[in-house]
Amino acid sequence: MLTGYETVANQAEGQALIFGDLHGQRENFTAMLMQLIRAHKKGGGYLWPFNLVFLGDFVDRGPDSLNLLYLIYTLKMLYWDRVFVIRGNHESKAINKTYGFKAECMEKLGIEDGEDIYNKHNQVFEKLAAVIKIDDKIIAMHGGIPSVPLNFNALLKEQQFGFEIYHRKRHMTIFSAVDYRNAGNAGAALMYIPNGKGGFRLIVFQFDPVKPLSSMPDDRTVAGSCMAVGAAMFGSAIFLSFANGENSTGLIQQESNEYAQKAVIVSRVVNGFSTSESMNPGPFDEKQLIKELFPYGDNAEDLDATGDVNAVVNMMGSECIGDNGCAVHKQMLDQIEKVAQSNDDPKLFKMITPGLDVLNGTGINDIQAALTKIKKDDFASIVPNAITAALNNDGKGIQIKIVSDVGMAVERLKHSEEYITDLQAYSSLLKVKDQFEAYAKMLQLISSLIPIQQFKMDLDAAQAKYQKLMSVATPEFIKNLESKLAKLADMDPESNQKKVVTAGFYNGFDDLKNVLKDNENDWLKEALNPGKDLDKLKLKLKPLEGLVQKLEPLNKVWKEVNFDSAQKSIYDMQLFVSNLDAFSGVFTTLSSVQTCFENVKTGQKFEMDLNDWIKVFESASSQLSPVKSSIDAFTTEETAKQLVELYKVADAHRADMDMLKKKLKEMQGLEPMIENLKKLHAQLESAVIGKLNDPFNVIKDIDSKVIKPFISWSGKLDFSKLSTCLKSQNFKDELEKMNPKLEALDSKKPSQQQMDPVKKLNDDLKKLGMEVAKITVSTPKRARHRRANKEFFIKNHKMAAQQVGEVHAVVQKLIKVKAMKSDVQELINGKAQIDAVIQNESDPNVKGKLNKLWNDNTVEALKGILNVAEDLDEAIKKREIKIINDLALTFTVAANVTVSKVDIKKLAIILDGKVQDPKISASLNNLKSLDLKFSKHNGANIGNVIHGVQLYFDSMFDVKRCVSKKKFKGFS
């Protein structure tokens, strides 16, 4: 099918519908195509027929690449001369074997057939052209085919809105895959419509990713000559039009196309004439002309901010590590508050003394021996058991056993005084528990204070971290970086309103160049010298030929300078840099915190686990406490007397159990004493003296390892004063306020991909500067007296050129505003939504910028601009522009435009991704190419200037008109 098919470039003629990347979205493509084919014009007639142009990337990353290819192949075979298919980077084995196409072939057709079909499709791809030209007006291609030696600067940017206009409106991208890889993007298609007069219109159709593309409304009327498409069917339609010979005119309404072209011609002819007059005999400021035609080309200052930003980013990479990044650690903030809120009584510190005589000569063996002796005697078990048996004796049991038990009890009771003494001695040994408790409290206090040392070490590390960051991001460094970025951000050649010698060259160098051919323009011939040539004009403009030739190399370099592509990155870098002062802010605050910790030493380390030691002492104390309590409860003077009396009773009646029982019952306080003995026995049995080894072992080292080092460390430290110092400064709140800026630095850290366009812009400006330096600039000469000639000399031609040029720029901008009225109105109507977005903005820097860019004054300015744009449109419709004088009315209307500082481009950049309403978001994107800044103009005078220009040219060509012969201000 494709034998002999041209593989480098194709040529299409006439109206064309252009699709970008489709990536296997057969259903979406079918729905889009059917909607456009079935759309019809108001009053009858369809948009169809038109050429179909496909710009590649049909396969990969989509659900149905195979059937999409078959559909496109079928269209090509059915409409061979009207369907044009070129190749994308995914139409290559090196790409599509990896990103889904090969896998789809295998899955749907089996391994063997799939491999065969896959290879055959790639054979077809190799036959496809790389470029298509449409009516010699548009060159279209797909980025990413390095094997084809084409010298075109074509860039592809997958855009949220499906299209992007950039590089001073010379380039445009189209991306047709809807919701590509779940990105939520709109898809777009581009309609090219020639106007039959050498110009053309472009309509961008957007397809909403939210609404199902398959749903097609009954009403598909394309209304009016502007071809406005119903919003119910498409997300929006954007209109572009290009006049014959103008390759950078921009967005123009179709109704105003011819008017705009004529206005451009008049403006540049007047400016060209003024420039020529200034060159001969002089003075002429050629340097000023170069500065205005190629703004920033003479900028000797190096504005490369990427190196400086990279230095900060690299330092952040080494210092801002961990979960907290550059932010102050929450643990540190909490510790500041904890120390500040400390209520420790300074008197408690007196507890912390070395050399506590915990043992008092007592050892673990002494306690063990005393307990063993007491338990061996078994007094606390035999006595209560025998007395209880005697009291419960009913005469029926084995009396011999009771008598025996009582006898054993009597033997113990005989030595009760000695037993009491042993218990009291053992209780005295158990007083060690009090010392254990003292050590536990002392260690608890030390444990609560030692983290202050760790905090001091963390504080030192944090201060060193922010000092390193601040050493790069010094105040002077930040100021210089902000200055560079501000200058780059303000670089907008389309918004340069300070033109003095080139105000009439609306399209810059192209107008300077094209004015040399305006003598051949049919309309201008009829307007200036009906039915005759414009040789006198050509002669007048001839001095410009040398100037054009001199500046042509400079213009080639200038066309490579892309301001628009770097603007978003510049803004992101500005936002990043605006937060860099947080480093010095944190460092300063931490330095103030350091003053509170000046006596806190970090040389002495406390590496032991004090909490474990505290548990050891608390456990030992809790074990000994009930034993000692039971002993102390039993070893009273009253108990000693009772034991003596019990001995006498038991000894006297141990052979007569009935009498013993009677006497025992008569004894006072016997039962409580017996209960105390039982409790004592239980405690003595449960005592595990071996566990006391742990606290005794800790005690051996505690003075040398804890107490003395702590006293040495604390030195002159006044913990109460430290707490008061922290409370008085409110450091935690200060640091918390800076954390959002530090977190923003982490989250908004520019990537290399973001910085590359900025570096390229700076490199291109340097290259431009070098080209400017190569040019030998003619310095202004002192004007020589020349006799005035009414026919060939405008007295104030510079003023005329500047005034006509400035108002003409307003005219062109207002025509664009009218063409995009729906988008401007969308912003005005969406004020509440945009206000809400700004109100909810968390970054104070961003919020401040937005409040300056968008406020009540902005909306009123937009309304005023739109009103004047409507008035201008009506004025254009009222009068056909046959001669220069016919421009007076429209120029007067335009000169009364509302003074405005609206920067819609910056607003769109900052709000990118923040506005959820798809219509407002789309309108912001559409409008960001508009310059809506307007200065004040003299509306009352511009008509006189236009009339003066008409009179001058009438004089030049000896044309008699019904125009007032009065002298107009600025002309003779």
Side-chain angles (χ1 to χ4, degrees), residues 31 46 49 109 185 252 286 302 338 422 447 697 714 773 797 808 821 823 849 906:
Y46 290 83
L109 303 171
N185 64 286
I252 305 175
E286 194 172 292
D302 185 3
K338 186 176 179 181
D422 289 343
S447 178
N697 289 335
S714 58
H797 56 80
H808 167 252
K821 174 185 175 181
D823 288 312
K849 291 177 184 290
K906 283 187 179 178

Side-chain angles (χ1 to χ4, degrees), residues 397-417:
I398 302 173
Q399 299 297 307
I400 296 174
K401 175 72 169 68
I402 298 174
V403 171
S404 175
D405 289 346
V406 170
M408 292 174 61
V410 169
E411 289 300 317
R412 269 54 176 191
L413 288 169
K414 182 178 179 180
H415 303 286
S416 63
E417 290 183 2

Side-chain angles (χ1 to χ4, degrees), residues 444-490:
Q444 283 174 340
L445 183 58
I446 292 173
S447 178
S448 70
L449 297 174
I450 283 179
I452 293 176
Q453 183 199 51
Q454 183 59 50
F455 175 78
K456 176 65 164 65
M457 290 189 285
D458 293 341
L459 180 62
D460 291 343
Q463 193 173 19
K465 163 185 169 179
Y466 290 108
Q467 187 172 28
K468 286 182 181 178
L469 292 167
M470 191 183 70
S471 68
V472 176
T474 63
E476 183 179 355
F477 172 91
I478 295 172
K479 184 178 179 181
N480 182 50
L481 194 49
E482 286 177 333
S483 176
K484 286 181 178 180
L485 290 171
K487 289 176 181 176
L488 286 171
D490 289 338

